[in-house]
Amino acid sequence: MNTHTLLTTPAWQVLQHLYKTHASKLDVRALLQKNLSQTVHMCISAPEMVADLSRNLLDTSIIAALNQLARERGVEAMRDDMFHGQKVNVTEQRAALHYLLRWPDENTHTALQKQSHDVPAQVAQSELAFKESSNAPLNVPSNLQSTLQDVLKTRSAMLAFAESIRQNAHITDVVNIGIGGSDLGPQLAIQALDAFRLGDNPADHKFQPKRFHFVSSLDPQELMSVLRQVRPQSTFFLVASKSFTTLETMTNARAAKAWFLAEGGTDVARHFVALSTNTQAAADFGISTCFGFWDWVGGRYSLWSSIGLSVAIAIGAKHFQDMLAGAHAMDQHFASTPLERNLPVQLALLDVWYRNFHGMGSRCVAPYAFGLRRLPAYLQQLEMESNGKRVDQQGRAVPYRTATVVWGEPASNGQHAFFQMLHQGTDVIPVEFLVVKQPSPNLPSYMAQHHPDLLANALAQAQALTQGVTSSLGGRDVTAHREMPGNRPSTTLLLDVLTPNSLGALIALYEHRVFVQATLWGINPFDQYGVESGKKIAQQMVEIIKGNSVIDLNADDSSKKMFSMLGKNSDSG
Ligand code: F6P
């Protein structure tokens, strides 16, 4: 990577100058009025989606300087390093090869192309299909060929297994036990792809779709509330953990196994499956079927691996492959589209512009699609665990801010909660609207009729944030209380329809955006040492709380006070 620190790159100086001279006073309303061609230019197509960036605090000079910044920070070289299998995860000395997990299997690829007539008509007619032309297609370099063969072999075994469970009418419930990346991705995907659970094949329809449950919390209330709804003989447990040591997951897995046996369940081996890189630990737990993956898959990038087994059971092998294909199309876009039209790059540049120049501390994610209701939580892990870092790749403290707070709720619920603050609060918070053009397939018409309202609300909120309501704009009787300043930035990501392909593309878009943010900031997005310390302290504290020990030499005075309020002795009593 370029050895210039971020702050001394020429492009940074230009951006600072632009910010001081005019960018901080930029009024998007004026730009939208006078320059339709620029507005059109600010729509970027990528696989399965179009992004409208025209409501952002940008003009052509700022965009040019941001793109220059990407060049000076070596975004293209870092991206190519990742796609060539270099050890871009410098602290753990590993490559980051999650994109290999969605590499098409040439054998199934042709079959899938032949099956394209199976997709619902509305999906096939997608107007937002991959329109953006690319430079050169992505290839797997020779050093990664054997890894790819491993990936394809594991995928095909996992998908065959998923189909067997999917078609097993005796299994009515699937419980995924996992946390973080071993929970959020599968949960998001199963909710988002609910319409695809029955499959295209009418033969599948004779089976009732299974119920899917997710257990992640250490609080047993969550596990208990799931176990109350299921029976051992018809339930299938997936213990999803890359490390197979995570406290929450192991505790819940042990409790689920105890419940299974106590409730008369027989044959743990048939009802429990592990998804892990730690096959030995899974075997020690008593699980004989384990689908593995690799240490080069970060937990928050693992949806595409065996961790996605619950998704494959829910939507079937073909739709799972479609999800991978959507993500792969986004990989191609990222790898080969010029920076100026490269959507992950443009979104990451915008993030840096708002974070480091405008000082904005958060971004609101507003999916106007119920299926995407876990997207904000998913992105919290992806962005904040990846880029919540304070030192650069060489371990030097960075003199600028990094990851922003990501938060949100599915709208229009958010409109009835926090949108007030977005419109009139003292903080300016960029909003990301996720809008799906077509209603979810298979809805009765009286429900599909909700969709125009949903679309109108998304569009209306975006416009209201931009335009505001001010007396200076001719609004009569606009008192200070009713005034909305406007000029509040937002981006709209428009999907044609929520399908396995578009969901895959969307998630891969965010993965690459986070990678580009990290490259611009010079930090490593692939480790997460920050979460370790608290876990270690908890191991000592639990001994005090259980009464096994009265001495915690590392407890500080505040913790000692809490021990005492909990009626537990520590060294100070
Ligand atoms: O504590 C953070 C973390 O390591 C995440 O990165 C990961 O997704 C999660 O815990 C779960 O880890 P595992 O899949 O190993 O149980």
Side-chain angles (χ1 to χ4, degrees):
M1 189 174 77
N2 198 316
T3 50
H4 262 303
T5 70
L6 176 60
L7 304 189
T8 56
T9 51
W12 191 270
Q13 315 295 319
V14 173
L15 285 163
Q16 262 184 331
H17 176 74
L18 287 173
Y19 183 77
K20 278 193 204 127
T21 51
H22 80 284
S24 57
K25 296 171 208 81
L26 206 68
D27 194 326
V28 177
R29 284 169 287 223
L31 287 177
L32 283 175
Q33 242 171 15
K34 75 171 181 222
N35 197 345
L36 192 63
S37 64
Q38 167 169 318
T39 310
V40 172
H41 184 69
M42 289 173 89
C43 279
I44 297 182
S45 298
E48 305 288 338
M49 68 192 74
V50 171
D52 176 11
L53 296 154
S54 63
R55 294 189 183 280
N56 283 294
L57 305 173
L58 294 171
D59 66 8
T60 44
S61 62
I62 299 165
I63 294 172
L66 286 169
N67 283 316
Q68 186 54 29
L69 183 72
R71 295 217 154 77
E72 289 172 12
R73 292 300 282 167
V75 166
E76 287 149 308
M78 273 297 273
R79 171 195 68 186
D80 295 348
D81 281 355
M82 180 175 76
F83 285 121
H84 286 124
Q86 301 300 311
K87 292 182 176 166
V88 290
N89 177 355
V90 286
T91 51
E92 297 178 318
Q93 274 300 293
R94 287 177 191 157
L97 304 179
H98 44 282
Y99 58 86
L100 267 195
L101 298 168
R102 51 235 190 183
W103 204 270
D105 182 343
E106 287 312 322
N107 297 326
T108 55
H109 190 61
T110 331
L112 286 177
Q113 278 182 331
K114 277 210 267 162
Q115 283 173 22
S116 62
H117 65 272
D118 286 349
V119 296
Q122 60 194 144
V123 180
Q125 286 162 10
S126 167
E127 288 165 24
L128 306 179
F130 193 179
K131 285 181 191 149
E132 200 63 55
S133 66
S134 298
N135 286 349
L138 194 53
N139 284 314
V140 179
S142 55
N143 58 321
L144 295 180
Q145 281 296 344
S146 76
T147 311
L148 175 64
Q149 292 317 312
D150 258 9
V151 166
L152 297 179
K153 216 165 96 191
T154 308
R155 185 197 300 164
S156 120
M158 189 273 268
L159 291 181
F161 184 78
E163 278 298 335
S164 73
I165 299 297
R166 179 176 163 78
Q167 286 167 27
N168 181 344
H170 299 295
I171 299 294
T172 57
D173 292 85
V174 176
V175 180
N176 186 87
I177 300 176
I179 196 164
S182 301
D183 166 66
L184 291 164
Q187 207 181 136
L188 165 65
I190 288 180
Q191 289 175 353
L193 303 177
D194 187 58
F196 293 81
R197 275 172 51 195
L198 266 179
D200 300 328
N201 181 357
D204 285 355
H205 298 189
K206 60 179 184 276
F207 303 116
Q208 273 292 95
K210 300 182 198 313
R211 294 182 299 172
F212 288 82
H213 313 268
F214 288 85
V215 176
S216 55
S217 168
L218 197 48
D219 186 336
Q221 200 183 342
E222 189 181 23
L223 177 62
M224 204 53 238
S225 72
V226 169
L227 295 181
R228 265 202 297 268
Q229 303 169 48
V230 302
R231 292 171 305 136
Q233 58 275 25
S234 56
T235 303
F236 192 65
F237 291 93
L238 308 179
V239 184
S241 174
K242 178 181 173 185
S243 59
F244 224 77
T245 56
T246 303
L247 174 72
E248 293 86 343
T249 304
M250 291 302 105
T251 307
N252 282 323
R254 276 191 295 272
K257 191 170 152 191
W259 169 89
F260 180 81
L261 296 172
E263 294 297 313
T266 52
D267 213 350
V268 168
R270 276 167 61 94
H271 286 264
F272 283 74
V273 163
L275 316 170
S276 184
T277 55
N278 191 349
T279 45
Q280 185 55 51
D284 295 345
F285 184 89
I287 296 183
S288 48
T289 308
C290 176
F291 290 97
F293 55 110
W294 302 269
D295 66 358
W296 44 256
V297 187
R300 49 197 175 274
Y301 303 87
S302 63
L303 165 67
W304 328 97
S305 73
S306 305
I307 291 290
L309 178 60
S310 55
V311 183
I313 297 172
I315 62 173
K318 178 192 172 291
H319 286 142
F320 190 85
Q321 301 261 28
D322 288 346
M323 185 176 82
L324 301 186
H328 181 69
M330 188 58 77
D331 294 338
Q332 293 276 5
H333 170 85
F334 178 50
S336 51
T337 307
L339 295 184
E340 285 74 6
R341 306 299 295 164
N342 192 312
L343 189 54
V345 173
Q346 293 307 305
L347 291 177
L349 288 169
L350 191 60
D351 295 333
V352 166
W353 176 235
Y354 286 150
R355 184 74 177 120
N356 300 109
F357 291 89
H358 287 266
M360 294 174 188
S362 86
R363 186 173 95 248
C364 173
V365 176
Y368 275 69
F370 183 66
L372 295 176
R373 61 196 175 280
R374 288 301 273 167
L375 184 67
Y378 179 85
L379 294 179
Q380 280 172 342
Q381 186 196 17
L382 182 65
E383 294 203 29
M384 293 158 79
E385 193 170 75
S386 297
N387 287 345
K389 308 285 168 63
R390 49 175 288 288
V391 297
D392 67 12
Q393 296 214 349
Q394 289 74 34
R396 300 170 300 204
V398 291
Y400 41 81
R401 297 190 191 279
T402 59
T404 193
V405 174
V406 179
W407 59 282
E409 270 291 312
S412 56
N413 302 48
Q415 287 175 212
H416 297 273
F418 50 76
F419 267 61
Q420 163 64 32
M421 176 170 157
L422 299 178
H423 289 291
Q424 285 190 312
T426 49
D427 286 88
V428 175
I429 299 170
V431 183
E432 200 154 285
F433 291 94
L434 285 113
V435 178
V436 183
K437 191 171 157 190
Q438 301 183 34
S440 145
N442 313 327
L443 284 178
S445 62
Y446 55 86
M447 286 195 194
Q449 282 165 11
H450 293 193
H451 203 64
D453 286 314
L454 193 61
L455 294 179
N457 270 277
L459 268 57
Q461 290 299 325
Q463 181 169 312
L465 283 164
T466 306
Q467 296 300 337
V469 177
T470 61
S471 41
S472 62
L473 287 176
R476 273 196 270 147
D477 302 329
V478 179
T479 64
H481 293 288
R482 290 177 184 270
E483 203 159 23
M484 291 163 50
N487 206 31
R488 301 211 156 183
S490 70
T491 298
T492 298
L493 289 176
L494 178 63
L495 307 184
D496 199 34
V497 61
L498 197 49
T499 60
N501 286 79
S502 64
L503 180 73
L506 183 68
I507 297 176
L509 166 77
Y510 282 111
E511 287 180 353
H512 295 319
R513 172 189 193 164
V514 166
F515 177 75
V516 178
Q517 287 172 2
T519 304
L520 294 167
W521 285 320
I523 59 179
N524 177 14
F526 296 115
D527 64 18
Q528 59 282 320
Y529 294 114
V531 297
E532 295 307 323
S533 162
K535 289 187 198 171
K536 286 202 188 98
I537 298 174
Q539 281 167 10
Q540 292 156 15
M541 289 189 167
V542 75
E543 296 307 320
I544 304 274
I545 292 173
K546 282 181 173 169
N548 295 340
S549 167
V550 289
I551 299 177
D552 182 350
L553 294 175
N554 296 318
D556 63 17
D557 280 0
S558 181
S559 296
K560 284 174 186 165
K561 183 57 73 193
M562 282 306 292
F563 284 140
S564 132
M565 286 194 276
L566 291 168
K568 305 294 172 189
N569 285 326
S570 64
D571 57 337
S572 70

